[in-house]
Every structure is written in structure tokens, then in C-alpha cells.
Amino acid sequence: MANNATYITVTGNLTRDPEGAFTASGVFRARISIAVTPRRFDKQAGEWTDGETTFWDATAWRALGEHVAESLNKGDRVIATGTVTTHRWQDEATGEPRSRVVLDLEDIGPSLAWATTNVAKATRTNGRSSGARSAPAGDAWAVNGPTADNDVPF
């Protein structure tokens, strides 16, 4: 992450299923859209009110992108962190400058305030993620969880 990058965390709902594909150079990319609607309690009215919804286009790369494509669906409540990036280009038809703000994801997961989940450890084979599948043979953490012999060192 660059020193001048804007790093944010958003909590919201996916507006569509993740769109995953490999780029021409063979890197996996998943694109999602997150709707973020602030909610506040109005003391005078005695009720919750929704603010204006903001829609964030977000991109997850490589193993994170694969996990997003395999794990998340439209409507899922997520917590996402990443850097805000502005993409700029010239419109081919009009020659006008165009721009779009995107959240380049560093991490994302379901909001446990709205759902429950069973975490499955992802494995890596030949530098590529195999997604949320079986853990490597002999992985005591995946099979038994922490024990006295392999307890967390903190």
C-alpha cells in the first residue's frame, strides 16, 4: 500500500454475485459491488432511519478473488477493507476524460452480526489457492484446532 493511499473499511451488502475471471496474464480477479447505507436512530421520532446509499465497486485479486467468488453471494452482508483507487481514461466516442473510484480489496468477509459461518482453511498448491477445501495432511490446526503442543504463541 502506498503511503498516500486512502485506506477504508466499509460494511454493506453485495448487490450482485461476484464476477470472477482470469485476466489475459492469468491472474484471477473478482469484481463485486457493495451497497453501504448508514443507519441512525432518530431520538425525536423514536425510530431508525436510513441515510443515502453509497455503492462501492470493489476488486479482489488472486487467491482473495477466488475465495470471494467461491464464498460470497448477492445480498451477503460483508465487511471489506482496502485502498481507494481512481481509474482514469479517455472516452473513445467523445474524447472526454472519465474516471471511476474503485475499492481494491485487501480483505473481506461476512459480517457475523448478520450471519454465522463455518471457516474452512484454504490450501495452496503450486502457488495457487485451491479455495476453501481440505487442509494439508498433518495440519493439526485444521484437524484438531489448537492443542498444548501447537497452541497460539500470543
Side-chain angles (χ1 to χ4, degrees):
M1 176 171 57
N3 290 338
N4 60 353
T6 301
Y7 186 81
I8 65 167
T9 299
V10 298
T11 301
N13 295 76
L14 296 188
T15 63
R16 62 179 187 263
D17 286 336
E19 299 169 358
F22 286 94
T23 65
S25 62
V27 177
F28 193 83
R29 172 186 64 212
R31 291 181 174 164
I32 59 173
S33 177
I34 305 169
V36 178
T37 306
R39 194 148 220 247
R40 310 240 188 284
F41 187 75
D42 183 340
K43 290 181 183 179
Q44 290 179 330
E47 62 186 28
W48 288 94
T49 58
D50 291 335
E52 186 175 340
T53 301
T54 303
F55 296 91
W56 284 93
D57 287 329
T59 305
W61 295 94
R62 297 173 185 75
L64 179 60
E66 291 181 44
H67 298 168
V68 165
E70 292 175 8
S71 304
L72 300 174
N73 298 295
K74 177 181 178 178
D76 286 348
R77 182 84 168 177
V78 297
I79 302 169
T81 61
T83 55
V84 177
T85 304
T86 303
H87 297 273
R88 293 181 172 83
W89 70 94
Q90 290 288 123
D91 185 290
E92 291 181 16
T94 66
E96 301 273 330
R98 300 283 184 215
S99 65
R100 184 177 92 159
V101 176
V102 176
L103 180 59
D104 285 326
L105 295 174
E106 180 177 303
D107 206 355
I108 185 170
S111 170
L112 297 182
W114 294 84
T116 61
T117 187
N118 292 315
V119 177
K121 187 175 180 180
T123 60
R124 295 185 66 78
T125 307
N126 297 329
R128 298 204 45 186
S129 171
S130 64
R133 294 178 179 76
S134 62
D139 186 337
W141 273 87
V143 177
N144 304 317
T147 66
D149 293 336
N150 68 3
D151 203 3
V152 180
F154 48 86

